[in-house]
Amino acid sequence: MGTFLTNTSIGRKVVMSVSGAFLVLFITFHMAMNLAALVSADAYNMICEFLGANWYALVATVILALGVLVHFAYAFILTFQNRKARGNVRYAVTSGHKGVDWASQNMLVLGIIVIGGLAVHLIHFWSKMQLQELMGNHEILVAGQEVAVTNGYKMIEITFSSIWNVLIYVVWLAALWFHLSHGIWSMFQSLGWANQTWYPRLKCLATAWTTLIVLGFMAVAVVFYIRSLGVCC
């Protein structure tokens, strides 16, 4: 089984699909968690404290990091194998829709943008929260303000008071939309669950799910920026 998963094209696609499914579930949870910040600062900070430097949160962080590394390592391997075997054809697709074709042929570029956005996100939040807890810090200086490392609400306020940060996240989330909308239905296809009947249904599901995730994240960034302008409470 180990040889099949590592040394065959189908096996690598299975690994990529399963790791991708795990990441999609995490992103969905993360988006839902962030929406709590739009409703209650106390509720969001309670979640942040619960998911701080506790053993279960640390175990989940390690598993998540491994999932990301596995997913993108296999993505690079499959992409370069496809280029070598098929020339300019990077991903085999079963549809002639231009949007799908464009996303499928640029999954590596989109993935790199997603990784870049993830790095920015880690700098803005993880490095100032869970990492600081692990280092034994209770408060840090953020934009000239002393902020508790468990005060995720304040971290969001400070981060999205900058229009440049908002724009960076919008670009990141746009790339994430294309990457996920193609990746989710491609996952079903790689696992052999897609056919002429189910393909349009799975594509619709992938698009709807991805749109929900992206709009949820964007809502937090945009609403907090508007609040920083004093336009709404």
Side-chain angles (χ1 to χ4, degrees):
M1 176 60 101
T3 302
F4 168 75
L5 294 177
T6 57
N7 294 343
T8 68
S9 178
I10 295 177
R12 294 187 187 103
K13 288 181 180 179
V14 169
V15 172
M16 230 182 117
S17 298
V18 173
S19 60
F22 165 72
L23 295 176
V24 168
L25 291 175
F26 170 78
I27 292 171
T28 303
F29 164 77
H30 192 21
M31 180 274 296
M33 182 187 82
N34 281 10
L35 290 179
L38 297 178
V39 180
S40 169
D42 290 337
Y44 183 72
N45 285 338
M46 284 179 61
I47 297 172
C48 290
E49 187 172 356
F50 178 74
L51 297 175
N54 303 301
W55 70 267
Y56 46 83
L58 294 175
V59 170
T61 299
V62 172
I63 293 174
L64 177 63
L66 289 175
V68 171
L69 289 174
V70 168
H71 185 74
F72 283 96
Y74 273 71
F76 273 99
I77 293 171
L78 284 171
T79 298
F80 288 118
Q81 281 185 336
N82 286 341
R83 284 183 177 179
K84 182 178 180 180
R86 302 171 184 170
N88 293 326
V89 180
R90 302 178 191 176
Y91 278 80
V93 296
T94 58
S95 171
H97 296 295
K98 293 182 179 179
V100 173
D101 284 344
W102 184 87
S104 68
Q105 294 173 9
N106 291 277
M107 285 293 278
L108 181 60
V109 174
L110 291 170
I112 291 173
I113 296 174
V114 170
I115 285 290
L118 176 61
V120 171
H121 185 66
L122 291 175
I123 292 171
H124 282 158
F125 296 100
W126 180 78
S127 69
K128 297 174 183 175
M129 297 178 70
Q130 189 181 72
L131 178 60
Q132 294 298 324
E133 282 192 79
L134 291 173
M135 294 171 63
N137 297 323
H138 299 289
E139 292 186 342
I140 60 171
L141 191 66
V142 182
Q145 303 179 53
E146 287 287 343
V147 182
V149 297
T150 56
N151 193 345
Y153 188 88
K154 191 63 179 179
M155 299 291 186
I156 293 178
E157 274 191 331
I158 293 173
T159 300
F160 295 124
S161 64
S162 166
I163 185 60
W164 297 112
N165 285 339
V166 174
L167 292 176
I168 288 171
Y169 273 78
V170 168
V171 172
W172 174 34
L173 291 168
L176 184 64
W177 187 91
F178 282 106
H179 190 81
L180 287 184
S181 61
H182 171 77
I184 291 175
W185 70 255
S186 180
M187 171 189 68
F188 290 117
Q189 185 182 37
S190 296
L191 295 175
W193 296 348
N195 52 42
Q196 292 300 318
T197 300
W198 277 97
Y199 172 79
R201 299 175 186 176
L202 293 174
K203 182 178 182 298
C204 182
L205 173 63
T207 301
W209 195 344
T210 302
T211 301
L212 180 65
I213 291 172
V214 168
L215 288 180
F217 279 120
M218 279 189 179
V220 174
V222 173
V223 169
F224 271 84
Y225 177 70
I226 293 174
R227 287 178 180 176
S228 74
L229 299 177
V231 176
C232 66
C233 57

